[in-house]
Amino acid sequence: MARVQVTPETDTSYVLEPQAVGVETRETWDASAWTSRPYVEPLQAAANVQPTLSTASMVYRYGHIRRRDKATGSGYWPPDLVDHFVRFSVPTRYAAKPVHLPWYGVVVSDTKHVRGPYEDGGVITATGDVVYQCLGLEHLLDGARIMGATILDAGTWKDVTACPTFNLRHRKGGSPLGNCSAAHQTGTSVFGFSAGAAETRTTWSASDVIAYLLHHYAPTTGGLAWTLGGQLGILDETVDVWRLEGRTVREALNILVDRRRGQSWTLRVGEATDEGPPSIEVHVSTVYDRPMAFAGKTIQPNTEVAPLEVDTTDGDAAAVRALHRVATCHVRSSASQRYGRVIVLGERMRSCFTLAPVDSDLEAGWASADATALRAAGGEDDPALADRWRRRAANLSDVFRTFVVPDDWDYTAGNGEGGTRGPVAPVMNDSGSLGQSAGVITQADKRFLKWLPLEEPWVGDEYETAYRRPFAWVAAPNPEDGYLYLHDHGIPNAPTARPRMLEHQLGITVPSPAHQMLARNHWTATDPTTQRGGKLDCGDWFAYATLGCTVCMETDTRARVVMDVGAEPVEGAVRTQVLRLAGAHMWYVVPGTVTGIDADGGLEHHAGGLVRDDSARLVLTALLARAWYGQARQALRYTVNEIAPLVPVGSLV
């Protein structure tokens, strides 16, 4: 295939008008001044609310060109602008000097389009276009990874290489929210993580986390400085569990400033001062046009409102055109994201209660034939040896040790003394509160947890809030002594044991060193066993009929809030949006639950109710989601005849 190169006439040059929109760049953010680029032509710029990146593109035409402001043609070579900061400005009749448009960004790449050479007097000059692609300043946050953390430990701030989960304490069993320091980091107004005593910790709000991320991870090279501003009321109230390690700062901001809660964020650049270059503000806005009240608190609407009249009928169309210069306007309404009901789900409700044979909700976990075989174990030649080996048989290991809930358990629990019973899992109301009646629950996939939602009675400020382990008690050998803890009964030479939760069903096992520890009244002196001083080997200490145990389990009910979007309840099938809120718990204690033994051997009981209630977090999330998903969304695109000072991104139109 033949190729033909067409050489342009020597007396022709590109004649280009000076651009109405000015382009200014600088290599570093703290450079002394912006450099004007009069021959770089803006093609387009889009300032977007996140999570959409702001973009822009520019073109520079190079080669032998006669600019309109020049008398003769000359050779121009494109400037290297990659990694430079860029902004735009326009002359306007409303101000004595050019106005800087609210678009700042970084040139991230350039593409050269070569059109061919230009020859003048034997000198050949390359010609073509260079298109510069730009991204908004949020692009800088996309290159900053969240790695490492600053933690207050024993009164000293330490830098570590791993970043903990915000508000989640990494420990087994129950854990309250909050691993934020109660005091600011030295010389700053930013909190850090805390690994110290309970009084040095509090919970992270979303605004606390953002301030921490901007301080520690946002780039600061070249004088970059980041602040947080705008409508922070919702962020100040938002408490959640955030796993952000390894994410970029921009990704984290999109999680923390959740559009599903009616929030948005963008970047705004301030004015330079004598102290340094302008700061970059992470500006938070809401989509609400009226105040929203919840639990005695009020979320204020977006205060930046921009009225846009494009079809006025009041006869003052000239004033509207003068104000907005609107050429065309397109409004698209969509109900695709509108829902009739919003449900916010937390974690499964955890219930703490007492089980005991006297309450008929704890029974022997072995067959009577196995108990007979255990008692008959032994031999004439060496009774002691036979006793040890035969009683270790797997089929006898549960005898007098393992206790389970009955198959027909009604999911109520008493007080360990045959008293009044209450539901283990009360019904959950749509408002997030507990009802009086029993909720639906099954034994499927249920196991007792290895901790209780009851705080340990620690004394001293140096201890973290700790939660008790399940515990068991029995009646003392002497009835006048009341009840005793199995793990700490104080009887000389008698073994102790703390109950263990069964892995395969709802039940407990008491890992006593001898089967007959709890076999009083079921183990007779004629049974072949080792005799010690005329007394049975641990046989006459305790009776399992007096056993009781306080346990905890997750129920089939989740902490939740259900809100219908309209003023009236919705009947039948309705389009529903379901949101999950990690770490939102409800911990319930059944009235009458045994919490301990007093000095006289009597059982101590809990009054019952919620000992942890995160329903306020659920209600807040539901209210915000209802406002967002409860109305048709509108997208606005309009064209202006003249570039004037623009409405700030994040304003309510």
Side-chain angles (χ1 to χ4, degrees):
M1 178 183 292
R3 295 186 179 182
V4 178
Q5 176 68 56
V6 179
T7 304
E9 297 293 334
T10 58
D11 59 348
T12 60
S13 301
Y14 293 111
V15 180
L16 298 178
E17 296 280 357
Q19 301 305 315
V21 178
V23 175
E24 299 174 344
T25 66
R26 61 183 177 189
E27 190 170 357
T28 62
W29 190 249
D30 58 357
S32 58
W34 290 86
T35 301
S36 176
R37 304 290 182 178
Y39 304 131
V40 177
E41 175 187 352
L43 297 178
Q44 64 86 26
N48 297 317
V49 170
Q50 298 302 304
T52 304
L53 277 169
S54 298
T55 61
S57 60
M58 313 176 296
V59 63
Y60 183 92
R61 308 187 192 280
Y62 65 91
H64 193 86
I65 298 174
R66 181 170 68 84
R67 308 287 184 182
R68 179 56 64 92
D69 57 340
K70 303 294 183 181
T72 60
S74 181
Y76 293 87
W77 191 250
D80 182 8
L81 299 181
V82 175
D83 289 334
H84 285 219
F85 293 96
V86 62
R87 72 178 182 182
F88 303 118
S89 62
V90 294
T92 173
R93 69 186 64 182
Y94 306 113
K97 59 182 181 179
V99 173
H100 299 128
L101 299 180
W103 198 100
Y104 290 77
V106 180
V107 181
V108 295
S109 67
D110 60 24
T111 304
K112 293 181 174 63
H113 302 277
V114 181
R115 287 202 297 267
Y118 173 82
E119 184 176 356
D120 183 14
V123 178
I124 298 178
T125 304
T127 63
D129 302 334
V130 176
V131 177
Y132 300 96
Q133 299 297 334
C134 310
L135 294 177
L137 292 177
E138 58 270 20
H139 164 69
L140 301 175
L141 299 178
D142 240 351
R145 291 282 173 182
I146 300 172
M147 303 295 292
T150 300
I151 301 179
L152 180 63
D153 184 22
T156 303
W157 289 103
K158 301 178 181 179
D159 292 329
V160 298
T161 57
C163 182
T165 300
F166 290 88
N167 279 330
L168 180 65
R169 302 181 192 173
H170 292 279
R171 51 172 294 181
K172 293 182 178 180
S175 177
L177 290 179
N179 55 4
C180 176
S181 64
H184 291 141
Q185 298 179 42
T186 305
T188 74
S189 59
V190 177
F191 296 105
F193 289 94
S194 175
E199 72 276 4
T200 68
R201 292 190 309 269
T202 184
T203 54
W204 292 93
S205 69
S207 55
D208 293 334
V209 176
I210 294 175
Y212 177 87
L213 299 180
L214 295 178
H215 179 77
H216 284 283
Y217 308 109
T220 57
T221 305
L224 290 167
W226 308 82
T227 62
L228 176 63
Q231 295 180 273
L232 305 181
I234 297 176
L235 298 182
D236 291 339
E237 299 289 339
T238 301
V239 176
D240 209 333
V241 175
W242 295 287
R243 296 173 176 85
L244 303 178
E245 184 177 28
R247 293 184 180 273
T248 69
V249 174
R250 177 172 168 267
E251 289 172 342
L253 286 173
N254 288 332
I255 293 172
L256 293 160
V257 187
D258 193 344
R259 64 180 181 81
R260 297 177 304 172
R261 297 178 179 178
Q263 303 168 91
S264 63
W265 70 276
T266 186
L267 295 181
R268 295 186 180 181
V269 176
E271 295 293 334
T273 64
D274 294 338
E275 288 75 21
S279 61
I280 305 171
E281 179 184 270
V282 175
H283 187 85
V284 179
S285 306
T286 71
V287 300
Y288 307 117
D289 57 355
R290 59 185 182 276
M292 292 187 59
F294 71 98
K297 300 178 182 179
T298 302
I299 297 176
Q300 297 300 327
N302 193 328
T303 57
E304 295 182 323
V305 180
L308 181 64
E309 297 184 57
V310 295
D311 56 353
T312 180
T313 58
D314 58 3
D316 195 16
V320 175
R321 287 195 299 272
L323 178 62
H324 299 292
R325 312 294 177 187
V326 176
T328 61
C329 181
H330 303 272
V331 180
R332 178 176 61 85
S333 297
S334 173
S336 63
Q337 294 299 312
R338 185 168 61 183
Y339 293 84
R341 178 174 296 152
V342 172
I343 300 177
V344 182
L345 298 179
E347 308 293 347
R348 284 192 178 190
M349 185 174 70
R350 295 170 180 177
S351 180
C352 178
F353 49 91
T354 290
L355 298 173
V358 69
D359 289 330
S360 300
D361 47 25
L362 193 65
E363 64 183 16
W366 63 88
S368 58
D370 291 336
T372 301
L374 177 70
R375 288 194 296 265
E380 297 179 357
D381 296 335
D382 190 347
L385 180 62
D387 179 71
R388 286 198 301 272
W389 285 103
R390 293 186 64 184
R391 287 171 182 165
R392 289 180 182 178
N395 64 313
L396 303 182
S397 62
D398 291 335
V399 178
F400 301 133
R401 288 174 171 169
T402 299
F403 305 88
V404 298
V405 299
D407 291 337
D408 59 352
W409 183 36
D410 62 356
Y411 305 102
T412 62
N415 63 354
E417 298 179 294
T420 304
R421 306 179 63 81
V424 166
V427 66
M428 181 71 66
N429 297 324
D430 288 349
S431 62
S433 62
L434 292 182
Q436 298 298 319
S437 59
V440 178
I441 185 173
T442 69
Q443 290 195 38
D445 75 2
K446 303 298 186 303
R447 304 295 179 268
F448 292 137
L449 303 178
K450 297 180 180 180
W451 62 279
L452 305 175
L454 304 174
E455 293 185 10
E456 287 279 13
W458 297 125
V459 178
D461 295 337
E462 68 274 20
Y463 292 100
E464 180 179 358
T465 301
Y467 293 95
R468 302 180 64 179
R469 290 185 290 169
F471 61 91
W473 63 91
V474 290
N478 183 356
E480 296 180 358
D481 294 333
Y483 292 95
L484 301 173
Y485 290 114
L486 270 182
H487 66 279
D488 186 21
H489 50 63
I491 298 178
N493 301 321
T496 60
R498 184 180 287 274
R500 296 176 183 171
M501 307 300 105
L502 296 182
E503 298 292 340
H504 57 284
Q505 67 180 115
L506 289 175
I508 65 171
T509 183
V510 179
S512 58
H515 285 274
Q516 56 268 38
M517 175 183 174
L518 296 174
R520 189 174 187 182
N521 303 324
H522 295 274
W523 197 276
T524 67
T526 58
D527 292 327
T529 187
T530 303
Q531 300 288 329
R532 292 184 179 176
K535 182 178 288 189
L536 291 175
D537 183 14
C538 306
D540 268 347
W541 293 116
F542 310 114
Y544 70 78
T546 65
L547 177 70
C549 186
T550 295
V551 296
C552 177
M553 76 174 185
E554 289 186 338
T555 71
D556 291 317
T557 301
R558 285 188 178 273
R560 66 167 190 165
V561 168
V562 180
M563 285 191 179
D564 289 332
V565 171
E568 300 296 330
V570 181
E571 301 293 339
V574 58
R575 193 162 186 250
T576 302
Q577 175 64 281
V578 178
L579 305 176
R580 294 188 179 274
L581 195 58
H585 285 277
M586 301 188 84
W587 296 350
Y588 177 71
V589 179
V590 176
T593 296
V594 175
T595 58
I597 300 174
D598 61 28
D600 297 325
L603 297 180
E604 298 175 331
H605 302 282
H606 199 283
L610 291 172
V611 294
R612 175 171 173 178
D613 183 3
D614 291 343
S615 59
R617 294 174 55 203
L618 299 172
V619 171
L620 171 60
T621 302
L623 281 170
L624 298 175
R626 182 178 65 175
W628 176 252
Y629 290 112
Q631 56 184 320
R633 313 315 305 171
Q634 291 183 319
L636 172 68
R637 179 170 58 89
Y638 67 96
T639 306
V640 294
N641 293 317
E642 175 182 315
I643 299 179
L646 302 180
V647 174
V649 176
S651 301
L652 187 66
V653 178

